[in-house]
């Protein structure tokens, strides 16, 4: 959804979908945001705004994950973790941590590219959430990062390095500059963002875990510390759990704002916008420095997240939001779509008309969509919605199938499959989190002409109700659900969408076939639409 510029207030979340671990900058009158993309391709989404409330997706900075061979199959919770976006020396820079390989960066002269290939700045296991800083006062460059215990055995601490001003390498072995184990009550310290303000080095970093944690601020007169800390944003008596991990940005008029995420189960990490000001007192000092300058950041309503607030002092903008609908002109998916692994030639066919033509890729993993690299996905909306798409299963081999999926640790999909006798049937299948293969959610039904319109109604709790329309009004006996009246027919039980470990549930389009010889045919998707069911007040 988009915000009405005539409204004097906006309402959170401003990005109501899984834009995980957001970071934000301003360049001139433009604001830019990136987010984690994990194992999906293309990665490192790039969003643009002029008012911090209305955002559009303008591209991606990473076209393929490296090493390519390792991301030829889905690795849903690996890849790109918690990037930092910066603008320095006339270029855009993004640093991120691959928990299995180390700290990478890409850079470009313009936000839309061309972006460089990934450059490994520091190799190592468990190096995550890196953030650079070029200090305009001294000409020095620094980098701070956190640790993933799953790979390194270490967590709850931040390590700082001096960095070459070219951003290509680190100049020392690093030093722990904030140790969360030494701060009473703090745990899972991560996601640092590094700034210079009012003569201090500032690190904004969350702790306490994504579902129940808080946002901290740390400051020191010297980059390597010692630092003092303060909690600057927490849930308090609001319904915004775990409000943390994001970025600070200042408008041209001098207003300060903080963008952060909230974990919302299968909907992933939605993005909130909080007012921010400088001047809060407090902090726990372990240095001899006296407090001075503008004090501490005060985020939200005295440290509690706001549900709505006066809009930023910025020129009104037309309503906008990241795209969801797609007619696939020329057979090309829009920017909102990502594959579940590095794509290969031949998965999608470009042509002169509208419609996405996917090859029914032969695979030994036809029994489990979670293992397929050729699923084309986009984020599950955080607002109740109806998702629809037209599907035609073109000439193909027995076993060829295609459909619309809600994909996570558990999944469900509805679509078409060609039987041994050449007829096409409507199928609906699902797999539980602990299951290694799918099973029927409803009995197969005829699909005359090999066509169907598929629908998923998704409520606020990410409960999904599947239905279909094959255009067949002749036979009602096999369903007993009013098929003779035409229109959509319900299928199967309600499916509760689930996230991956760090990733929200995904909507997916897929075409596949069991192993065998020769071409298995294609499937064509047209008129993909997401309709909001329950319209909130405009943000």
């Amino acid at each position: 959804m988009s915000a009405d510029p005539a409204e004097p207030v906006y309402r959170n979340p401003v990005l109501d979908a899984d834009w995980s671990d957001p970071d934000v900058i301003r360049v001139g009158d433009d604001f830019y945001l990136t987010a984690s993309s994990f194992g999906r391709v293309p990665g490192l989404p790039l969003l643009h705004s002029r008012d911090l409330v209305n955002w559009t997706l303008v591209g991606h900075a990473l076209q393929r994950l490296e090493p390519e061979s390792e991301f030829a199959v889905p690795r849903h919770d690996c890849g790109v973790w918690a990037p930092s976006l910066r603008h320095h020396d006339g270029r855009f820079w993004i640093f991120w941590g691959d928990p299995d390989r180390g700290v990478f960066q890409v850079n470009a002269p313009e936000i839309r590219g061309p972006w460089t290939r990934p450059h490994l700045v520091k190799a190592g296991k468990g190096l995550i959430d890196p953030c650079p800083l070029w200090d305009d006062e001294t000409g020095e460059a620094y980098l701070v990062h956190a640790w993933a215990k799953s790979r390194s055995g270490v967590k709850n601490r931040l390590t700082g390095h001096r960095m070459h001003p070219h951003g290509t390498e680190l100049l020392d072995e690093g030093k722990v500059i904030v140790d969360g184990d030494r701060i009473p009550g703090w745990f899972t310290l991560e996601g640092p963002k590094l700034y210079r303000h009012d003569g201090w080095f500032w690190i904004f970093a969350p702790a306490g875990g994504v579902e129940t944690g808080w946002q901290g601020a740390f400051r020191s007169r010297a980059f390597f510390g010692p630092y003092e800390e303060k909690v600057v944003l927490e849930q308090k008596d609001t319904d915004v759990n775990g409000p943390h991990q994001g970025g600070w940005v200042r408008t041209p008029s001098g207003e300060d704002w903080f963008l952060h995420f909230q974990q919302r189960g299968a909907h992933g990490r939605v993005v909130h916008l909080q007012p921010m000001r400088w001047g809060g007192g407090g902090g726990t000092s372990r240095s001899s420095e006296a407090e001075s300058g503008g004090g501490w950041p005060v985020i939200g309503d005295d440290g509690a997240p706001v549900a709505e607030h006066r809009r930023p002092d910025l020129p009104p903008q037309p309503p906008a939001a990241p795209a969801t609908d797609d007619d696939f002109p020329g057979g090309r998916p829009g920017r909102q779509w990502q594959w579940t692994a590095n794509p290969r030639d031949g998965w999608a066919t470009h042509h002169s008309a509208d419609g996405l033509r996917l090859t029914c890729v032969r695979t030994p993993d036809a029994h489990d969509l979670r293992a397929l690299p050729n699923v084309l996905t986009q984020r599950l909306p955080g607002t109740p919605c109806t998702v629809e798409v037209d599907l035609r299963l073109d000439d193909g081999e027995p076993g060829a199938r295609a459909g619309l999926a809600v994909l996570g640790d558990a999944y469900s999909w509805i679509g078409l499959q060609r039987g041994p006798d050449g007829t096409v049937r409507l199928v609906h299948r699902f797999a539980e989190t602990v299951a290694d293969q799918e099973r029927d959610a409803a009995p197969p039904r005829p699909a005359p002409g090999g066509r169907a319109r598929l629908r998923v109604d998704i409520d606020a709790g990410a409960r999904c109700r599947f239905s279909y329309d094959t255009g067949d009004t002749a036979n009602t006996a096999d369903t007993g659900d009013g098929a003779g009246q035409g229109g959509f027919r319900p299928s199967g039980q309600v499916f509760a969408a689930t996230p991956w470990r760090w990733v929200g549930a995904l909507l997916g389009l897929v075409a596949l076939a069991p192993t065998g010889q020769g071409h298995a045919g294609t499937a064509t998707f047209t008129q993909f639409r997401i309709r909001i069911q329950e319209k909130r007040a405009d943000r």
Side-chain angles (χ1 to χ4, degrees), residues 15 22 38 78 118 150 174 225-226 232 237 252 288 296 302 312 329 340 410 413 415 424 427 456 491 506 522 526:
L15 285 167
F38 300 97
C78 301
S150 60
V232 292
D237 60 355
S288 58
W296 291 83
D302 196 24
T340 48
W413 71 279
V424 177
V427 296
V456 186
S491 180
L506 300 167
T522 60
T526 54

Side-chain angles (χ1 to χ4, degrees), residues 65-190:
L65 288 165
E66 297 183 6
E68 290 203 18
S69 60
E70 295 199 20
F71 288 97
V73 295
R75 305 189 68 201
H76 297 286
D77 302 329
C78 301
V80 177
W81 284 23
S84 292
L85 174 62
R86 293 293 181 264
H87 189 261
H88 167 72
D89 196 25
R91 297 186 71 83
F92 291 88
W93 301 77
I94 302 178
F95 284 67
W96 76 93
D98 179 320
D100 299 303
R101 289 167 188 81
V103 174
F104 289 85
Q105 61 97 332
V106 292
N107 60 87
E110 304 290 342
I111 195 68
R112 290 173 174 81
W115 289 86
T116 61
R117 285 188 61 177
H119 174 80
L120 183 61
V121 179
K122 182 184 180 182
K125 294 279 191 179
L127 309 179
I128 59 170
D129 309 348
C131 183
L133 171 69
W134 286 270
D135 188 347
D136 293 334
E137 296 180 19
T138 65
E140 297 287 331
Y142 305 95
L143 183 133
V144 63
H145 69 80
W147 294 87
K149 187 175 182 179
S150 60
R151 272 71 164 187
S152 65
V154 175
K155 73 169 187 174
N156 205 32
R157 65 190 64 174
L158 307 179
T159 296
H161 297 264
R162 293 179 61 243
M163 183 177 72
H164 195 291
H166 290 166
T168 56
E169 60 182 314
L170 304 180
L171 303 179
D172 55 36
E173 293 301 313
K175 174 186 175 183
V176 175
I177 57 177
V178 180
D179 186 345
D181 290 343
R182 295 179 177 271
I183 308 173
W186 285 60
F187 59 97
T188 317
L189 176 63
E190 58 187 351

Side-chain angles (χ1 to χ4, degrees), residues 326-342:
D326 206 347
D327 289 320
F328 310 105
R332 293 171 173 84
R335 295 189 184 102
Q336 66 268 37
W337 297 97
Q338 296 170 293
W339 298 100
T340 48
N342 283 328

